Amino acid sequence: MYYYEVWVNSLSYRSKESLTYHSTKKLRIGSLVNTELKKEIVNAVIVKNVSKPRFKTKKINSELTNIPPIPFHLIRLAKWIMDYYSSNVGVVTKLILPIKLTSESDSKKETTKLEAELNNKHSLISGSKRDQELTGEQFGAISKMSKNDTYLLHGVTGSGKTRVYIEMIKKTLKNKQSSILLVPEIGLMGQLKSTLSEYFNPEIIIEWDSRQPPKIKKSNWLRIISSKTPLIVIGPRSALFSPLNNLGLIIVDECHETSYKQESSPRYETNRVASYLTKLLNIKLILGSATPSVIDYFLAKNKEKNIVLMKNRAITNEAEEKNIKLVDLKDKNQFIRSKYLSELLIESIENSLSRNEQILLYLNRRGTSRVVFCTSCGWQSNCPHCDIPLTYHSDLHKLICHSCDFKSSPPTCCPVCRNADIIYKSIGTKAVVEEMERLFPSAKIARFDSDNKKSERMEHSYEKLIKGSIDIIVGTQLVAKSLDLPKLSTLGVIIADTSLYLPDFSSSERTFQLLNQVIGRVGRGHINSTNTIIQTYNPDNKLIKYAIEDNYQGFYEEELSERQKYFFPPFCSIVKISGKAKNRNIIINKMSDFKKELENNPDFPSIVVEGPSPSYREKTKNLYNWQLVVKSKDRSVLLRLINSLPKNLSFDIDPGNLL
């Protein structure tokens, strides 16, 4: 009889301890099996051989013999995540085994088909651009990243970081190893796959996406774990856990993006996990960004890690004229034909349309109107469950809560004083589209934000965007990232200040990053003259000027000084502890009492406890949300603190923000 510790693939199993089962058959570490958990048959992973325990064990039902074992490095990585982020077996196993498997798996059929197709095409590196020349700066960056190590590729927008990624992937393929290329948004995968297909055999490029239909997800996962051919896996953060057996390179594109932080358990941060994985395997990690996070840049400088700079744009156009102008939103004389769009912006749009060129309008707010209120008594349309403003969506003629999805019809008069003068203020993307349709009725307009239906998402419109079939693009932060639009000549930032005054230590950094990114969509060498019009309530703001001037160092030094002054990362580690209750006073008292316990506990020396304070959205789904913020220079102290938390409190260690 053989005994094994296993990890069960079930979110209902919340313990940090493995379970022990027995088998009459000898099994390998990483083998996939079916086991019984609370009378339910679930998938599980063999993680350790053990001696016969003193307690009675259940028998492993069956081994999934058609599927290769989970690579051992993923098991080690998952164990580290459990410890580093204080998470449980069920949620972490779901990272490395994200699909449901049966013993009747058709993995061999899928793999055989793939290998045959590759043999027919003979080459992994193929495509129309495989011999395209590099710029001197690109060649220099590639030369500096020759050893297996972690590299922060700090390249300005348009410097050609993607081209560098491609060359690094080529080198990895020639060593018969696979690559993982992570993107911050699923909507960018179509563009990236199209670009990679110009250099590599499309059959070795596999997209991994949590939103894929189960059948496609299963097929792709089985191809990855079974393939003997080096592959290129592209996708969002979950693609990092692809079960590749010959991994040689990990690339995190736009590594500063907040989407790389998992907001549900185990709340991991992708850059940290990728760094640990590359150390396990002794392979390369490239963190690419035009605006690296203050934390990543500080750590790289302090630890004397490899910062590879790319200061120049890859495509140069000597005749190119890049005009950037600021418009003060407080100056009503600038807004004659529209209360949302300045005359400067409207004129630039008119000129671009007359030349059959593209326009991109950026606003980081969804919906039509963010605030609906009565001019007589001041009543405001708040969600009855969350106590936050409802957003008006004119296309649906509904007020919607973006927290709990509560919906109601807009009022014809004030429900308090019966006044009929209801005002809709604070513009959203849908209102911008309506304004464009009014001003430019013959233009083809498309909106991209998280309100898009599945068929309207950006990944389905990539070809139209590149060819210029869409005249005016309106969108939130999704359109600010990585898009290279050859016909784009006008960029309009409707309100540059939307994230600047959020009550959070990361708001300045996020504003700088988004502005810098969206400004980088124009002036990429395709068109001789481009216009960027930035509308702001604060035209003299230093942060906005840093973004316009592409002055990362100026921003970094100022932001770092602020973080040090107020004791925020990278000068400390943070855990956010959250609690909720139906009664406001109960949760306030509970969090206050817990704060006193922490401050008087000798096991947690040198901690700073701030709060309790209401969460950014104090009331959601009829519950009041309050939080404590605990800071320490010693992260291990925070981990011990987490392990002592009452079950009715939740935590987020290393949060990207405190909202």
Side-chain angles (χ1 to χ4, degrees), residues 71-106:
F72 186 58
H73 69 263
L74 283 185
I75 294 173
R76 291 182 66 189
L77 180 67
K79 181 65 174 71
W80 176 81
I81 290 173
M82 286 183 207
D83 296 335
Y84 194 76
Y85 292 102
S86 191
S87 48
N88 64 57
V89 166
V91 296
V92 174
T93 305
K94 190 66 69 177
L95 294 177
I96 63 172
L97 186 54
I99 58 173
K100 190 171 183 179
L101 295 164
T102 64
S103 56
E104 292 79 27
S105 166
D106 55 356

Side-chain angles (χ1 to χ4, degrees), residues 423-438:
I423 298 293
Y424 293 76
K425 294 198 72 173
S426 187
I427 186 175
T429 48
K430 290 181 180 178
V432 175
V433 169
E434 290 173 7
E435 195 74 344
M436 289 294 96
E437 290 170 343
R438 179 181 70 83

Side-chain angles (χ1 to χ4, degrees), residues 455-475:
S455 60
E456 298 170 342
R457 289 175 187 160
M458 197 166 74
E459 57 262 39
H460 301 304
S461 303
Y462 173 66
E463 291 298 326
K464 289 181 181 178
L465 290 170
I466 296 301
K467 291 177 181 176
S469 303
I470 298 170
D471 299 318
I472 302 173
I473 305 159
V474 178

Side-chain angles (χ1 to χ4, degrees), residues 434-650:
E434 290 173 7
E435 195 74 344
M436 289 294 96
E437 290 170 343
R438 179 181 70 83
L439 292 167
F440 308 104
S442 60
K444 293 176 183 175
I445 304 166
R447 171 182 56 81
F448 299 106
D449 57 32
S450 55
D451 288 325
N452 284 131
K453 296 175 183 176
K454 186 175 180 179
S455 60
E456 298 170 342
R457 289 175 187 160
M458 197 166 74
E459 57 262 39
H460 301 304
S461 303
Y462 173 66
E463 291 298 326
K464 289 181 181 178
L465 290 170
I466 296 301
K467 291 177 181 176
S469 303
I470 298 170
D471 299 318
I472 302 173
I473 305 159
V474 178
T476 53
Q477 55 185 289
L478 180 62
V479 301
K481 303 168 187 176
S482 299
L483 280 177
D484 188 0
L485 304 171
K487 292 192 174 184
L488 183 62
S489 64
T490 291
L491 167 67
V493 179
I494 307 300
I495 305 174
D497 320 278
T498 52
S499 60
L500 186 56
Y501 298 113
L502 289 172
D504 186 64
F505 76 95
S506 68
S507 60
S508 294
E509 178 174 51
R510 193 69 188 134
T511 301
F512 172 80
Q513 289 169 338
L514 283 169
L515 267 181
N516 186 271
Q517 278 184 306
V518 75
I519 290 169
R521 294 313 104 211
V522 294
R524 300 173 75 92
H526 301 300
I527 289 176
N528 287 342
S529 180
T530 60
N531 288 314
T532 299
I533 292 92
I534 299 173
Q535 300 180 169
T536 171
Y537 288 106
N538 300 276
D540 297 321
N541 186 283
K542 263 189 187 179
L543 197 73
I544 292 173
K545 289 186 176 179
Y546 285 146
I548 290 171
E549 295 166 1
D550 211 0
N551 184 358
Y552 178 82
Q553 286 301 324
F555 156 75
Y556 170 76
E557 288 165 13
E558 187 158 317
E559 181 66 12
L560 196 66
S561 175
E562 289 288 301
R563 299 274 184 100
Q564 187 169 27
K565 182 179 178 181
Y566 295 104
F567 196 44
F568 278 112
F571 300 101
C572 69
S573 290
I574 286 180
V575 61
K576 180 172 69 174
I577 299 170
S578 303
K580 56 182 69 176
K582 290 183 178 180
N583 184 288
R584 191 171 187 265
N585 290 330
I586 287 176
I587 191 60
I588 293 172
N589 292 334
K590 183 177 183 179
M591 299 301 280
S592 298
D593 291 343
F594 188 62
K595 177 181 180 178
K596 290 175 185 175
E597 284 181 34
L598 291 176
E599 291 178 327
N600 295 325
N601 192 327
D603 292 335
F604 310 131
S606 305
I607 61 170
V608 176
V609 187
E610 297 176 352
S613 61
S615 300
Y616 181 61
R617 291 175 173 167
E618 182 184 5
K619 188 181 179 185
T620 56
K621 301 179 181 177
N622 290 321
L623 295 172
Y624 288 94
N625 305 279
W626 278 64
Q627 64 189 38
L628 294 171
V629 174
V630 187
K631 301 176 181 179
S632 175
K633 288 186 177 181
D634 185 350
R635 193 177 183 278
S636 64
V637 171
L638 299 182
L639 283 172
R640 291 204 305 273
L641 185 155
I642 286 168
N643 290 330
S644 71
L645 282 180
K647 289 185 178 180
N648 50 9
L649 295 181
S650 61

Side-chain angles (χ1 to χ4, degrees), residues 214-446:
K215 188 175 180 181
I216 294 175
K217 275 181 68 176
K218 180 179 177 180
S219 174
N220 285 342
W221 192 86
L222 290 171
R223 284 177 62 182
I224 292 168
I225 197 170
S226 305
S227 177
K228 296 176 183 177
T229 301
L231 301 173
I232 305 167
V233 178
I234 60 174
R237 60 178 183 268
S238 58
L240 182 61
F241 303 98
S242 298
L244 293 159
N245 290 288
N246 54 351
L247 184 60
L249 172 67
I250 300 172
I251 300 168
V252 185
D253 189 29
E254 308 288 5
C255 65
H256 63 276
E257 280 294 338
T258 56
S259 57
Y260 285 124
K261 166 72 174 177
Q262 169 115 337
E263 294 302 331
S264 58
S265 186
R267 296 183 181 274
Y268 66 88
E269 205 286 318
T270 302
N271 294 351
R272 300 288 169 272
V273 178
S275 178
Y276 184 79
L277 179 55
T278 51
K279 286 175 185 174
L280 273 181
L281 295 173
N282 188 29
I283 60 174
K284 263 189 207 71
L285 169 63
I286 301 174
L287 304 172
S289 175
T291 55
S293 77
V294 168
I295 296 171
D296 285 342
Y297 204 78
F298 177 83
L299 292 176
K301 289 187 76 171
N302 270 30
K303 293 181 179 179
E304 297 183 349
K305 285 290 181 184
N306 307 292
I307 299 176
V308 180
L309 294 174
M310 294 174 66
K311 299 178 180 179
N312 304 303
R313 291 181 178 255
I315 302 174
T316 57
N317 182 348
E318 292 180 5
E320 183 179 352
E321 184 183 355
K322 187 177 177 182
N323 304 302
I324 301 178
K325 295 178 181 176
L326 289 173
V327 173
D328 190 343
L329 281 163
K330 300 187 297 293
D331 183 359
K332 298 308 174 187
N333 293 325
Q334 300 266 14
F335 298 83
I336 299 169
R337 285 180 276 178
S338 169
K339 58 182 177 180
Y340 305 132
L341 280 71
S342 62
E343 288 300 300
L344 264 177
L345 182 51
I346 292 173
E347 287 168 11
S348 185
I349 292 171
E350 289 172 336
N351 291 333
S352 290
L353 289 174
S354 69
R355 298 191 299 264
N356 294 317
E357 294 168 352
Q358 258 177 341
I359 298 96
L360 174 61
L361 301 178
Y362 166 75
L363 174 66
N364 206 22
R365 286 179 181 166
R366 297 150 57 195
T368 304
S369 179
R370 298 274 291 187
V371 182
V372 181
F373 69 95
C374 172
T375 58
S376 178
C377 71
W379 167 87
Q380 183 173 310
S381 64
N382 286 348
C383 175
H385 309 296
C386 302
D387 201 28
I388 60 173
L390 294 170
T391 299
Y392 176 59
H393 290 252
S394 60
D395 55 337
L396 304 173
H397 195 54
K398 290 285 183 185
L399 294 169
I400 300 176
C401 175
H402 287 166
S403 177
C404 73
D405 205 35
F406 168 81
K407 297 180 179 69
S408 70
S409 298
T412 54
C413 65
C414 175
V416 176
C417 70
R418 313 311 296 174
N419 173 42
D421 196 4
I422 302 295
I423 298 293
Y424 293 76
K425 294 198 72 173
S426 187
I427 186 175
T429 48
K430 290 181 180 178
V432 175
V433 169
E434 290 173 7
E435 195 74 344
M436 289 294 96
E437 290 170 343
R438 179 181 70 83
L439 292 167
F440 308 104
S442 60
K444 293 176 183 175
I445 304 166

